[in-house]
Amino acid sequence: MTVDTGPISSQLLELQDMDQQIRAIRDRIESFQGQLEAVEEPAQQLAEEVAATEIRVRDLRLEERRLRLAAEEKRLRVHRLEERLNLVRTVREEAAVQAELGLVRRALDQEEQEVISLLDQIGRLEERLDEQRAGMEEVRSAVAPKKQEIRAQQEAIRSEAASLEVRRGLFAEGIERRYLSVYEGLAKGGRKLAVATMTDDGACGSCFSLIPLQLQNEIRSSGRLVSCEACGVIVTAPPDVATDGLTEPASQT
Ligand SMILES: [Zn+2]
């Protein structure tokens, strides 16, 4: 399926116009993306803080568990030493067991203290975590309508871009291959203009270099497509003057 597309110079100009519209829409889609990121940023930052606190809580819980197990083991040792104390036969032996018992009990005390202090830290961190989470949720719900609005605009413009791309595809199918491929080659190079109309005083409509008189006449009389010697764009007659382009894009040289 193709659409009626008129003379080649106006076809190329119209194609270029569509491409520019598509580019502009893509830029807008991207700018919406930027807006979305800017709106999400504060909540994102808070989410990172929440994650950091969660990691600290997890680490402290692991440390607490490790200390609890160590304390448990020391409690068993204390128990065993106390049993041994009942079986000692000499004063010397008793003194040795008492000494060891003293050491283990002190270590146990210290670990129990550490567990308490860790639990205290964990408790405070969990409070902070709750506050951070609440703050994050608050910011998230505060920006939710704005996000939704941006997303809706983005969606609308995406479907606009999609339908324009479909129209552009159909339109391009109606353009003679050889002209289309010259145009596409120029457009793909990333330049802003691939085709430009000649100005009234015979200059390239893109870079304003003067086009040799003979070529000017050909452009005006036969609608010939000429490649600008200075900047490389396809120079055409203005659409209302152009007749069908019968010659290939030719270099001035
Ligand atoms: Zn030029």
Side-chain angles (χ1 to χ4, degrees):
M1 183 183 150
T2 55
V3 282
D4 183 28
T5 44
I8 188 68
S9 54
S10 44
Q11 285 175 3
L12 291 181
L13 286 168
E14 194 169 341
L15 186 65
Q16 173 164 273
D17 194 46
M18 285 177 161
D19 282 344
Q20 281 169 346
Q21 282 180 50
I22 290 170
R23 257 203 306 278
I25 289 178
R26 284 197 189 127
D27 287 349
R28 278 181 65 203
I29 292 173
E30 234 167 83
S31 84
F32 279 131
Q33 200 53 40
Q35 283 180 41
L36 209 53
E37 276 161 26
V39 165
E40 278 170 344
E41 225 238 297
Q44 188 55 37
Q45 239 170 23
L46 292 175
E48 277 164 28
E49 284 169 26
V50 165
T53 310
E54 281 170 346
I55 286 172
R56 280 207 64 205
V57 168
R58 198 197 56 200
D59 287 351
L60 290 181
R61 283 222 174 277
L62 284 174
E63 177 66 4
E64 184 225 323
R65 187 176 147 74
R66 190 189 65 79
L67 280 171
R68 264 188 205 282
L69 288 173
E72 194 56 42
E73 187 230 4
K74 286 198 180 61
R75 250 176 245 120
L76 279 174
R77 270 179 73 193
V78 166
H79 185 65
R80 278 200 299 271
L81 286 167
E82 279 167 351
E83 279 177 347
R84 244 171 77 193
L85 211 50
N86 294 329
L87 305 171
V88 290
R89 272 170 260 146
T90 64
V91 174
R92 225 176 120 185
E93 211 183 326
E94 188 191 347
V97 174
Q98 284 287 15
E100 197 184 344
L101 197 53
L103 282 176
V104 178
R105 274 185 181 142
R106 273 197 296 281
L108 176 60
D109 272 357
Q110 203 178 337
E111 275 167 2
E112 281 172 341
Q113 283 305 314
E114 280 175 45
V115 168
I116 289 168
S117 129
L118 271 175
L119 284 174
D120 188 44
Q121 278 186 60
I122 290 169
R124 273 180 285 133
L125 272 178
E126 279 179 337
E127 260 173 50
R128 195 197 295 169
L129 194 54
D130 284 345
E131 285 165 15
Q132 285 178 333
R133 281 182 180 140
M136 179 182 72
E137 289 312 323
E138 203 178 308
V139 171
R140 271 190 185 153
S141 51
V143 300
K146 184 74 193 157
K147 264 170 69 176
Q148 211 172 1
E149 186 193 318
I150 296 172
R151 286 229 173 87
Q153 283 174 313
Q154 211 177 18
E155 249 352 276
I157 206 172
R158 272 208 184 107
S159 61
E160 195 185 324
S163 68
L164 191 56
E165 274 163 15
V166 169
R167 271 209 294 141
R168 192 258 183 219
L170 288 175
F171 187 81
E173 277 174 30
I175 300 174
E176 216 179 306
R177 283 293 119 192
R178 55 188 175 142
Y179 296 117
L180 186 63
S181 68
V182 172
Y183 170 86
E184 302 276 26
L186 286 165
K188 239 178 248 154
R191 58 172 76 220
K192 267 195 159 161
L193 284 180
V195 49
T197 52
M198 186 171 69
T199 65
D200 289 344
D201 47 3
C204 161
S206 174
C207 73
F208 302 105
S209 304
L210 209 60
I211 289 161
L213 260 179
Q214 196 200 330
L215 286 171
Q216 285 185 30
N217 291 334
E218 285 182 38
I219 290 170
R220 287 201 186 93
S221 61
S222 67
R224 181 175 169 187
L225 301 176
V226 167
S227 162
C228 171
E229 195 178 47
C231 73
V233 305
I234 304 166
V235 182
T236 74
D240 52 330
V241 182
T243 57
D244 215 335
L246 297 172
T247 46
E248 283 185 61
S251 172
Q252 291 177 28
T253 48

